[in-house]
Amino acid sequence: MAMADHSAIEWTEATWNPTTGCDRISTGCDNCYALTLAKRLKAMGSAKYQNDGDPRTSGPGFAVTVHPDAVRLPLRWQQPRMVFVNSMSDLFHARVPTSFIHEVFDVMAATPQHTYQILTKRAARLAKVAHLFDWPANVWMGVSVEDAGQLARLDHLRQVPAAVRFVSAEPLLGPLPTIDLTGMHWVIVGGESGPSARPMAPDWARTVRDRCAEDGVPFFFKQWGGRTPKAGGRTLDGRIWGQMPVTDRVSVGV
């Protein structure tokens, strides 16, 4: 699970997990897929998922853990890839040392053939420490915004000098009628999946799509969600929306 080629996530190609584990901090975390997967991996004996998190916010195998042996793995990949960083964690969690984040950024800078997509819910810490790192052109930075109560995360993201700043409205749990996309380069929308998936109203997705069209921001509709990620398909109003940021680095097929 340190690095997986051919990711099933529609907007990326591979995953890289130099850290694993996290803690739930908002409603978008309630049915966290990574927490459930970590419990399964612990039971299977996976070495990277043996540290248990606080049962109030985390779970078996899901304590925040850094993996120094995984940091340099991208150096082995010669063919360019779109890489989702920490699909099983949050790089800007308070328990991830700044020095370790530096190591991750050093590897990303040393592998310009790859494009890295980082996603966080810890937008306040991101903004606080962003000036400590060099931001190479192959690093995209995003924040998760599941409902209107989390729109302030965009204000923090606007302070980050990433070449591409993006929004992941997944799982989208409420309308975002006042979303301000100033300074954003990409928006992803998706419904929740899993046995306890909360439904996404079509108009919530349409509102974000229409705001993207007004502001000229690429829009990517990932899924409707349901019991499984593919259950509801990914067609919105009769078409698949697979727009990507305007950059010569993009290689994901949609």
Side-chain angles (χ1 to χ4, degrees):
M1 291 300 296
M3 183 174 266
D5 212 347
H6 307 298
S7 171
I9 301 171
E10 287 81 355
W11 44 262
T12 198
E13 294 175 327
T15 58
W16 170 42
N17 284 289
T19 73
T20 55
C22 201
D23 290 276
R24 289 172 287 192
I25 60 169
S26 63
T27 56
C29 305
D30 289 351
N31 298 317
C32 178
Y33 75 90
L35 190 154
T36 301
L37 180 55
K39 180 179 180 180
R40 188 184 315 155
L41 290 168
K42 176 183 172 70
M44 293 168 58
S46 176
K48 295 185 181 296
Y49 297 91
Q50 296 304 309
N51 296 331
D52 296 343
D54 186 329
R56 296 169 298 178
T57 57
S58 185
F62 208 52
V64 174
T65 307
V66 300
H67 301 287
D69 58 333
V71 174
R72 298 180 64 81
L73 285 173
L75 298 173
R76 304 176 187 173
W77 282 17
Q78 298 303 313
Q79 183 175 346
R81 289 164 171 80
M82 187 80 72
V83 182
F84 179 23
V85 181
N86 280 351
S87 62
M88 295 293 290
S89 186
D90 188 329
L91 187 63
F92 291 93
H93 192 290
R95 292 193 179 93
V96 179
T98 303
S99 59
F100 191 80
I101 302 175
H102 263 294
E103 293 183 41
V104 172
F105 269 74
D106 287 345
V107 170
M108 294 190 294
T111 51
Q113 71 270 28
H114 305 317
T115 298
Y116 295 93
Q117 301 159 306
I118 309 172
L119 191 57
T120 186
K121 286 185 173 70
R122 274 79 178 176
R125 188 191 183 200
L126 165 65
K128 183 178 180 180
V129 302
H131 71 283
L132 300 175
F133 314 113
D134 293 327
W135 289 82
N138 63 329
V139 175
W140 300 4
M141 188 69 234
V143 296
S144 298
V145 176
E146 64 263 36
D147 57 37
Q150 305 304 332
L151 286 172
R153 291 173 181 167
L154 293 179
D155 295 327
H156 293 301
L157 181 58
R158 274 184 269 271
Q159 301 174 42
V160 178
V164 171
R165 291 181 292 272
F166 68 98
V167 184
S168 176
E170 183 190 7
L172 184 55
L173 302 176
L176 300 175
T178 62
I179 188 170
D180 178 5
L181 297 178
T182 302
M184 300 299 119
H185 305 103
W186 190 33
V187 175
I188 304 164
V189 167
E192 191 169 49
S193 60
S196 303
R198 292 160 285 186
M200 176 177 62
D203 281 347
W204 301 347
R206 291 185 180 113
T207 295
V208 178
R209 177 201 60 192
D210 293 347
R211 180 60 57 84
C212 286
E214 292 169 6
D215 294 350
V217 178
F219 174 76
F220 194 107
F221 186 70
K222 180 173 176 283
Q223 64 183 41
W224 284 105
R227 186 168 181 81
T228 67
K230 312 293 186 184
R234 53 177 303 220
T235 301
L236 173 61
D237 290 337
R239 63 167 284 190
I240 290 178
W241 301 82
Q243 298 169 351
M244 299 290 289
V246 180
T247 166
D248 57 8
R249 306 196 60 85
V250 172
S251 61
V252 170
V254 294

Coordinates of all heavy atoms in Angstrom, one line a residue, residues 84-152:
F84 N -1.5 10.4 -6.7 CA -2.3 10.9 -5.5 C -1.5 10.6 -4.3 O -1.2 9.5 -3.9 CB -3.7 10.2 -5.5 CG -4.5 10.7 -4.3 CD1 -4.4 11.9 -3.7 CD2 -5.6 9.8 -3.9 CE1 -5.2 12.3 -2.6 CE2 -6.4 10.2 -2.8 CZ -6.2 11.4 -2.2
V85 N -1.1 11.7 -3.6 CA -0.2 11.5 -2.4 C -1.1 11.3 -1.1 O -2.0 12.1 -0.8 CB 0.6 12.8 -2.2 CG1 1.5 12.6 -1.0 CG2 1.5 13.1 -3.4
N86 N -0.8 10.2 -0.5 CA -1.5 9.9 0.8 C -3.0 9.7 0.6 O -3.9 10.4 1.2 CB -1.3 11.0 1.8 CG 0.0 10.8 2.5 OD1 0.7 9.8 2.3 ND2 0.4 11.8 3.3
S87 N -3.4 8.7 -0.2 CA -4.8 8.2 -0.3 C -5.2 7.6 1.1 O -6.4 7.5 1.3 CB -4.9 7.2 -1.4 OG -4.2 6.0 -1.1
M88 N -4.3 7.3 1.9 CA -4.6 6.6 3.2 C -4.2 7.5 4.4 O -4.0 7.0 5.5 CB -3.9 5.3 3.3 CG -4.4 4.2 2.3 SD -6.1 3.7 2.6 CE -5.9 2.7 4.1
S89 N -4.1 8.8 4.2 CA -3.7 9.7 5.3 C -3.9 11.1 4.9 O -4.6 11.4 3.9 CB -2.2 9.4 5.6 OG -1.8 10.2 6.7
D90 N -3.4 12.1 5.7 CA -3.4 13.5 5.4 C -2.0 14.0 5.7 O -1.6 14.0 6.8 CB -4.5 14.2 6.2 CG -4.7 15.6 5.9 OD1 -3.7 16.3 5.4 OD2 -5.8 16.1 6.0
L91 N -1.3 14.5 4.6 CA 0.1 14.9 4.8 C 0.2 16.1 5.8 O 1.3 16.2 6.4 CB 0.7 15.3 3.4 CG 2.2 15.6 3.4 CD1 3.0 14.4 3.7 CD2 2.6 16.2 2.0
F92 N -0.8 16.9 6.0 CA -0.8 18.0 6.8 C -1.4 17.8 8.2 O -1.8 18.8 8.9 CB -1.3 19.2 6.1 CG -0.4 19.7 5.0 CD1 -0.6 19.2 3.7 CD2 0.7 20.5 5.2 CE1 0.2 19.5 2.6 CE2 1.5 20.8 4.1 CZ 1.3 20.4 2.9
H93 N -1.6 16.6 8.5 CA -2.1 16.2 9.9 C -1.0 16.7 10.9 O 0.2 16.7 10.6 CB -2.2 14.7 10.0 CG -2.9 14.2 11.2 ND1 -2.4 14.3 12.5 CD2 -4.2 13.7 11.4 CE1 -3.2 13.9 13.4 NE2 -4.3 13.5 12.7
A94 N -1.5 17.2 12.1 CA -0.6 17.7 13.1 C 0.5 16.8 13.5 O 1.5 17.2 14.0 CB -1.4 18.2 14.3
R95 N 0.2 15.5 13.4 CA 1.2 14.5 13.9 C 2.2 14.1 12.8 O 3.1 13.3 13.0 CB 0.5 13.2 14.4 CG -0.3 13.4 15.6 CD -0.8 12.1 16.3 NE -1.5 12.3 17.5 CZ -2.8 12.4 17.5 NH1 -3.6 12.3 16.4 NH2 -3.4 12.6 18.7
V96 N 2.1 14.7 11.6 CA 3.2 14.5 10.6 C 4.2 15.7 10.8 O 3.9 16.8 10.6 CB 2.6 14.5 9.2 CG1 3.7 14.3 8.2 CG2 1.5 13.5 9.1
P97 N 5.4 15.3 11.2 CA 6.4 16.4 11.4 C 6.7 17.2 10.1 O 6.7 16.7 9.0 CB 7.7 15.6 11.8 CG 7.1 14.3 12.3 CD 5.9 14.0 11.4
T98 N 7.0 18.5 10.4 CA 7.3 19.3 9.2 C 8.5 18.8 8.5 O 8.6 18.9 7.3 CB 7.5 20.8 9.7 OG1 6.4 21.2 10.4 CG2 7.8 21.7 8.6
S99 N 9.5 18.3 9.2 CA 10.7 17.7 8.6 C 10.4 16.6 7.7 O 11.0 16.5 6.6 CB 11.7 17.3 9.7 OG 11.1 16.3 10.5
F100 N 9.4 15.8 8.0 CA 9.0 14.7 7.1 C 8.3 15.2 5.9 O 8.5 14.7 4.8 CB 8.1 13.7 7.9 CG 7.9 12.4 7.1 CD1 8.8 11.4 7.2 CD2 6.7 12.2 6.4 CE1 8.6 10.2 6.5 CE2 6.5 11.0 5.7 CZ 7.5 10.0 5.7
I101 N 7.5 16.2 6.0 CA 6.8 16.9 4.9 C 7.9 17.4 3.9 O 7.8 17.3 2.7 CB 5.8 18.0 5.3 CG1 4.8 17.4 6.2 CG2 5.2 18.6 4.1 CD1 3.8 18.5 6.8
H102 N 9.0 18.0 4.5 CA 10.1 18.4 3.7 C 10.6 17.3 2.8 O 10.9 17.5 1.6 CB 11.2 19.0 4.6 CG 11.1 20.5 4.7 ND1 11.4 21.4 3.7 CD2 10.9 21.3 5.8 CE1 11.3 22.6 4.1 NE2 11.0 22.6 5.4
E103 N 10.8 16.1 3.4 CA 11.3 15.0 2.7 C 10.4 14.6 1.5 O 10.9 14.3 0.4 CB 11.5 13.8 3.6 CG 12.6 14.0 4.7 CD 12.7 12.7 5.5 OE1 12.7 11.6 5.0 OE2 12.9 12.8 6.8
V104 N 9.1 14.6 1.7 CA 8.2 14.3 0.7 C 8.3 15.4 -0.4 O 8.3 15.0 -1.6 CB 6.7 14.3 1.2 CG1 5.7 14.2 0.1 CG2 6.6 13.1 2.2
F105 N 8.4 16.6 -0.1 CA 8.5 17.7 -1.1 C 9.8 17.5 -1.9 O 9.9 17.8 -3.1 CB 8.4 19.1 -0.5 CG 7.0 19.6 -0.5 CD1 6.0 19.1 0.4 CD2 6.6 20.6 -1.4 CE1 4.7 19.5 0.4 CE2 5.3 21.0 -1.4 CZ 4.3 20.5 -0.5
D106 N 10.9 17.2 -1.2 CA 12.2 17.0 -1.9 C 12.1 15.9 -2.9 O 12.6 16.1 -4.1 CB 13.3 16.6 -0.9 CG 13.7 17.8 0.0 OD1 13.3 18.9 -0.3 OD2 14.3 17.5 1.1
V107 N 11.4 14.8 -2.6 CA 11.2 13.7 -3.6 C 10.4 14.2 -4.8 O 10.7 13.9 -6.0 CB 10.7 12.5 -2.9 CG1 10.3 11.4 -4.0 CG2 11.7 11.9 -2.0
M108 N 9.3 14.9 -4.5 CA 8.4 15.4 -5.6 C 9.2 16.3 -6.5 O 9.1 16.3 -7.7 CB 7.2 16.1 -5.0 CG 6.3 15.1 -4.2 SD 4.7 15.8 -3.8 CE 5.2 17.1 -2.6
A109 N 10.1 17.2 -5.9 CA 10.9 18.1 -6.7 C 11.9 17.3 -7.6 O 12.2 17.8 -8.7 CB 11.5 19.1 -5.9
A110 N 12.4 16.2 -7.0 CA 13.4 15.4 -7.7 C 12.9 14.5 -8.8 O 13.6 13.9 -9.5 CB 14.2 14.6 -6.7
T111 N 11.5 14.5 -8.9 CA 10.9 13.6 -9.9 C 9.9 14.4 -10.8 O 8.7 14.2 -10.7 CB 10.2 12.4 -9.2 OG1 9.3 13.0 -8.2 CG2 11.1 11.4 -8.6
P112 N 10.4 15.3 -11.6 CA 9.5 16.2 -12.3 C 8.8 15.5 -13.4 O 7.8 16.0 -14.0 CB 10.5 17.2 -13.0 CG 11.8 16.5 -13.0 CD 11.8 15.6 -11.8
Q113 N 9.1 14.2 -13.7 CA 8.3 13.4 -14.7 C 7.0 13.1 -14.2 O 6.1 12.7 -14.9 CB 9.1 12.2 -15.1 CG 9.2 11.1 -14.0 CD 10.4 11.2 -13.1 OE1 10.9 12.3 -12.9 NE2 10.9 10.1 -12.6
H114 N 6.8 13.1 -12.9 CA 5.5 12.8 -12.3 C 4.7 14.1 -11.9 O 5.3 15.1 -11.7 CB 5.6 11.9 -11.0 CG 6.4 10.7 -11.2 ND1 6.3 9.9 -12.3 CD2 7.4 10.1 -10.4 CE1 7.1 8.9 -12.2 NE2 7.8 9.0 -11.1
T115 N 3.4 14.0 -11.8 CA 2.6 15.0 -11.3 C 1.9 14.5 -10.0 O 1.3 13.4 -10.0 CB 1.5 15.4 -12.3 OG1 2.1 15.9 -13.5 CG2 0.6 16.5 -11.7
Y116 N 2.0 15.3 -8.9 CA 1.6 14.9 -7.6 C 0.3 15.7 -7.2 O 0.3 16.9 -7.3 CB 2.7 15.1 -6.6 CG 3.9 14.2 -6.8 CD1 5.0 14.7 -7.6 CD2 3.9 12.9 -6.3 CE1 6.1 13.9 -7.8 CE2 5.0 12.1 -6.6 CZ 6.1 12.6 -7.3 OH 7.2 11.7 -7.6
Q117 N -0.7 15.0 -6.7 CA -1.9 15.6 -6.2 C -2.0 15.4 -4.7 O -2.1 14.2 -4.3 CB -3.1 15.0 -7.0 CG -3.0 15.2 -8.5 CD -3.9 14.1 -9.2 OE1 -3.8 12.9 -9.0 NE2 -4.8 14.6 -10.0
I118 N -2.0 16.4 -4.0 CA -2.1 16.3 -2.5 C -3.5 16.9 -2.1 O -3.9 18.0 -2.6 CB -1.0 17.1 -1.8 CG1 0.4 16.7 -2.3 CG2 -1.0 16.9 -0.3 CD1 1.5 17.6 -1.8
L119 N -4.1 16.2 -1.2 CA -5.5 16.6 -0.7 C -5.5 16.6 0.8 O -5.0 15.7 1.4 CB -6.5 15.7 -1.3 CG -8.0 16.0 -1.2 CD1 -8.3 17.4 -1.8 CD2 -8.9 14.9 -1.8
T120 N -6.0 17.7 1.4 CA -6.0 17.8 2.8 C -7.3 18.4 3.3 O -8.0 19.2 2.6 CB -4.8 18.7 3.4 OG1 -4.8 18.7 4.8 CG2 -5.0 20.2 2.9
K121 N -7.7 18.1 4.6 CA -8.7 18.7 5.3 C -8.1 19.7 6.3 O -8.8 20.5 7.0 CB -9.6 17.7 6.0 CG -10.6 17.0 5.1 CD -11.5 16.1 5.9 CE -12.6 15.4 5.0 NZ -12.0 14.4 4.1
R122 N -6.8 19.6 6.5 CA -6.1 20.4 7.5 C -5.6 21.7 6.8 O -4.4 22.0 6.8 CB -4.9 19.7 8.1 CG -5.3 18.8 9.3 CD -5.9 17.5 9.0 NE -6.2 16.7 10.1 CZ -6.9 15.6 10.1 NH1 -7.2 15.1 8.9 NH2 -7.1 14.9 11.2
A123 N -6.5 22.5 6.3 CA -6.2 23.6 5.5 C -5.5 24.7 6.3 O -4.7 25.4 5.8 CB -7.4 24.2 4.8
A124 N -5.9 24.8 7.6 CA -5.2 25.9 8.4 C -3.8 25.6 8.6 O -2.9 26.5 8.5 CB -6.0 25.9 9.7
R125 N -3.4 24.3 8.9 CA -2.0 24.0 9.0 C -1.3 24.1 7.7 O -0.1 24.6 7.6 CB -1.8 22.6 9.5 CG -0.3 22.3 9.9 CD 0.1 20.9 10.1 NE 1.5 20.8 10.5 CZ 2.2 19.8 10.4 NH1 1.7 18.6 10.1 NH2 3.5 19.8 10.7
L126 N -1.9 23.7 6.6 CA -1.3 23.9 5.3 C -0.9 25.3 5.0 O 0.2 25.6 4.6 CB -2.3 23.5 4.2 CG -2.1 23.9 2.8 CD1 -0.8 23.2 2.2 CD2 -3.2 23.6 1.9
A127 N -1.8 26.3 5.3 CA -1.5 27.7 5.1 C -0.4 28.2 6.0 O 0.4 29.0 5.6 CB -2.8 28.5 5.3
K128 N -0.4 27.6 7.2 CA 0.6 28.1 8.2 C 2.0 27.7 7.8 O 3.0 28.4 8.1 CB 0.3 27.5 9.6 CG 1.2 27.9 10.7 CD 0.7 27.4 12.0 CE 1.6 27.8 13.2 NZ 1.2 27.2 14.5
V129 N 2.2 26.5 7.2 CA 3.5 26.0 6.9 C 3.9 26.0 5.4 O 5.0 25.7 5.1 CB 3.7 24.5 7.4 CG1 3.4 24.4 8.9 CG2 2.8 23.6 6.6
A130 N 3.0 26.5 4.6 CA 3.3 26.4 3.1 C 4.5 27.2 2.7 O 5.2 26.8 1.8 CB 2.1 27.0 2.4
H131 N 4.8 28.3 3.4 CA 6.0 29.1 3.1 C 7.3 28.4 3.4 O 8.4 28.8 2.9 CB 6.0 30.4 3.8 CG 6.2 30.2 5.3 ND1 5.3 29.8 6.2 CD2 7.4 30.5 6.1 CE1 5.8 29.7 7.4 NE2 7.0 30.1 7.4
L132 N 7.3 27.3 4.1 CA 8.5 26.5 4.4 C 9.0 25.6 3.3 O 10.1 25.1 3.4 CB 8.2 25.7 5.7 CG 7.8 26.4 7.0 CD1 7.5 25.4 8.1 CD2 8.9 27.4 7.4
F133 N 8.1 25.4 2.3 CA 8.5 24.5 1.2 C 8.6 25.2 -0.1 O 7.9 26.2 -0.4 CB 7.4 23.4 1.1 CG 7.0 22.8 2.5 CD1 5.7 23.0 3.0 CD2 7.9 22.1 3.2 CE1 5.3 22.5 4.2 CE2 7.5 21.6 4.4 CZ 6.3 21.8 4.9
D134 N 9.4 24.6 -1.0 CA 9.4 25.0 -2.4 C 8.3 24.3 -3.1 O 8.1 23.1 -2.8 CB 10.8 24.7 -3.0 CG 11.9 25.5 -2.5 OD1 11.7 26.7 -2.1 OD2 13.0 25.0 -2.4
W135 N 7.6 25.0 -3.9 CA 6.4 24.4 -4.6 C 6.7 24.2 -6.1 O 6.5 25.1 -6.9 CB 5.2 25.2 -4.4 CG 4.7 25.2 -3.0 CD1 5.1 25.9 -1.9 CD2 3.6 24.3 -2.5 NE1 4.5 25.6 -0.8 CE2 3.5 24.6 -1.1 CE3 2.8 23.4 -3.1 CZ2 2.6 24.0 -0.3 CZ3 1.9 22.8 -2.3 CH2 1.8 23.0 -0.9
P136 N 7.3 23.0 -6.4 CA 7.6 22.8 -7.9 C 6.3 22.7 -8.7 O 5.2 22.5 -8.2 CB 8.3 21.5 -7.8 CG 7.9 20.8 -6.6 CD 7.6 21.9 -5.6
A137 N 6.5 22.9 -10.0 CA 5.3 23.0 -10.9 C 4.5 21.6 -11.0 O 3.4 21.6 -11.4 CB 5.8 23.4 -12.3
N138 N 5.2 20.6 -10.5 CA 4.5 19.2 -10.7 C 3.7 18.9 -9.4 O 3.2 17.7 -9.3 CB 5.5 18.1 -11.0 CG 6.5 18.0 -9.9 OD1 6.9 18.9 -9.2 ND2 7.0 16.7 -9.7
V139 N 3.5 19.8 -8.5 CA 2.7 19.6 -7.3 C 1.4 20.4 -7.3 O 1.4 21.6 -7.4 CB 3.6 20.0 -6.0 CG1 2.7 19.8 -4.8 CG2 4.8 19.1 -5.9
W140 N 0.3 19.6 -7.3 CA -1.0 20.2 -7.2 C -1.5 20.1 -5.7 O -1.3 19.1 -5.1 CB -2.0 19.5 -8.1 CG -1.7 19.5 -9.5 CD1 -0.6 20.0 -10.1 CD2 -2.5 18.9 -10.6 NE1 -0.6 19.8 -11.5 CE2 -1.8 19.2 -11.8 CE3 -3.7 18.3 -10.6 CZ2 -2.3 18.7 -13.0 CZ3 -4.2 17.9 -11.8 CH2 -3.6 18.1 -13.0
M141 N -2.1 21.1 -5.2 CA -2.6 21.1 -3.8 C -4.1 21.4 -3.8 O -4.6 22.3 -4.4 CB -1.8 22.2 -3.0 CG -2.1 22.2 -1.5 SD -1.4 20.8 -0.7 CE -2.8 20.1 0.1
G142 N -4.8 20.5 -3.0 CA -6.2 20.6 -2.9 C -6.7 20.5 -1.5 O -6.0 20.1 -0.6
V143 N -8.0 21.0 -1.3 CA -8.7 20.8 0.0 C -10.0 20.2 -0.3 O -10.6 20.3 -1.3 CB -8.8 22.2 0.7 CG1 -7.5 22.8 1.1 CG2 -9.7 23.1 -0.1
S144 N -10.5 19.4 0.8 CA -11.8 18.8 0.7 C -12.8 19.8 1.3 O -12.6 20.4 2.3 CB -11.8 17.5 1.5 OG -10.9 16.6 1.0
V145 N -13.9 19.9 0.6 CA -15.0 20.8 1.0 C -16.3 20.0 0.9 O -16.8 19.9 -0.2 CB -15.1 22.1 0.3 CG1 -16.3 22.9 0.7 CG2 -13.8 22.9 0.4
E146 N -16.8 19.4 2.0 CA -18.0 18.6 1.9 C -19.3 19.3 2.0 O -20.4 18.8 1.6 CB -17.9 17.4 2.9 CG -18.0 17.9 4.3 CD -16.6 18.0 4.9 OE1 -15.6 18.4 4.2 OE2 -16.4 17.7 6.1
D147 N -19.3 20.5 2.6 CA -20.5 21.3 2.8 C -20.1 22.7 3.0 O -18.9 23.1 3.1 CB -21.4 20.7 3.9 CG -20.7 20.7 5.3 OD1 -19.9 21.6 5.6 OD2 -20.9 19.7 6.0
A148 N -21.1 23.6 3.1 CA -20.9 25.0 3.2 C -20.1 25.4 4.5 O -19.4 26.4 4.5 CB -22.2 25.8 3.2
G149 N -20.2 24.6 5.5 CA -19.5 24.8 6.7 C -18.0 24.7 6.6 O -17.2 25.2 7.5
Q150 N -17.5 24.2 5.5 CA -16.0 24.0 5.3 C -15.5 24.9 4.2 O -14.3 24.7 3.8 CB -15.7 22.5 5.0 CG -16.3 21.5 6.0 CD -15.8 21.8 7.4 OE1 -14.7 22.3 7.6 NE2 -16.6 21.4 8.4
L151 N -16.2 25.9 3.8 CA -15.7 26.8 2.7 C -14.5 27.6 3.1 O -13.8 28.0 2.2 CB -16.9 27.7 2.2 CG -17.9 27.0 1.4 CD1 -19.1 27.9 1.1 CD2 -17.4 26.5 0.0
A152 N -14.3 27.8 4.4 CA -13.1 28.5 4.8 C -11.8 27.9 4.4 O -10.8 28.5 4.3 CB -13.2 28.8 6.3

